[in-house]
Amino acid sequence: MNWCILIPLLVGLISAILGYLLGKLLGGSGDNDAYNARIASLEADLKVCKSSRIRLESDLSSAKSSLSSGSGAANMASSFAGAATTAIAFDGAAAKAAFGKKVKENDLTVVEGIGPKIQELFHNFDVKTWASLGATSVEKCQEVLESGGARFKMHNPKTWPKQAGLAAAGKWQELKDWQDALDGGR
């Protein structure tokens, strides 16, 4: 028998067996658990996104059907016409007199409880004026806060639309008096 061929075959076989055993011992199922947890997390996120998409599609179809019926368009046109007639020119001097500081037009931080970060959240939802915030429901304000994450859960937007409505109407002293009576926007 030729030992020159047999010895490399035995070394190769022993190396293969050792490699397999070391791979099983060191590469175990520890990584699989982390991957399985990540997959489960992503599947849960996907499920939430799908349900949100379904809800948004149903809202869109109901909005389209109300617009196609004609009454929705007439109501929307009349609401825009009403909003246009109630627009009041911004009076920075009156705002400064009431607040004791310069107030920029449509600065949502004038509303008690809204800071720069929350204003940015509202801007992301295309609420950029006092009038549009004044026309927003408290539920929509809460939805905007929830979009920012857990750090905004402590805020209570119950009075924000009314405060913004007063600012849009130029009722600065009334707004300031009410804010003085409020406790952190509540």
Side-chain angles (χ1 to χ4, degrees):
M1 178 176 269
N2 193 354
W3 290 100
C4 292
I5 295 174
L6 188 60
I7 290 176
L9 287 176
L10 284 175
V11 169
L13 182 65
I14 291 171
S15 297
I17 292 172
L18 281 175
Y20 175 76
L21 291 175
L22 283 174
K24 278 297 210 180
L25 179 68
L26 297 177
S29 64
D31 288 340
N32 289 343
D33 292 339
Y35 291 132
N36 288 337
R38 179 75 175 142
I39 289 170
S41 170
L42 291 172
E43 285 175 344
D45 289 346
L46 179 62
K47 186 177 180 180
V48 168
C49 287
K50 283 182 178 179
S51 66
S52 177
R53 189 196 82 210
I54 291 169
R55 181 180 51 83
L56 289 172
E57 285 176 348
S58 68
D59 289 349
L60 178 62
S61 65
S62 67
K64 283 182 179 179
S65 67
S66 70
L67 282 176
S68 66
S69 69
S71 63
N75 288 341
M76 202 175 342
S78 67
S79 69
F80 285 136
T85 59
T86 60
I88 295 176
F90 174 66
D91 184 7
K96 184 175 182 177
F99 284 97
K101 63 179 184 178
K102 184 177 179 183
V103 175
K104 292 182 184 176
E105 186 173 8
N106 292 317
D107 180 10
L108 299 183
T109 60
V110 168
V111 174
E112 179 83 16
I114 295 182
K117 295 291 184 184
I118 295 176
Q119 175 176 278
E120 187 176 317
L121 290 175
F122 276 104
H123 285 184
N124 292 341
F125 278 77
D126 205 33
V127 177
K128 298 180 180 182
T129 65
W130 294 317
S132 61
L133 180 57
T136 304
S137 68
V138 175
E139 292 78 22
K140 179 70 174 178
C141 291
Q142 192 64 47
E143 182 182 327
V144 169
L145 287 175
E146 288 170 3
S147 75
R151 65 186 268 195
F152 296 105
K153 283 188 177 182
M154 67 180 188
H155 296 281
N156 183 0
K158 184 174 65 174
T159 64
W160 295 355
K162 185 170 182 185
Q163 289 184 59
L166 289 173
K171 299 180 179 178
W172 298 109
Q173 193 56 52
E174 186 178 341
L175 174 61
K176 179 66 175 151
D177 293 341
W178 190 30
Q179 286 179 346
D180 289 341
L182 290 175
D183 178 26
R186 294 182 200 98

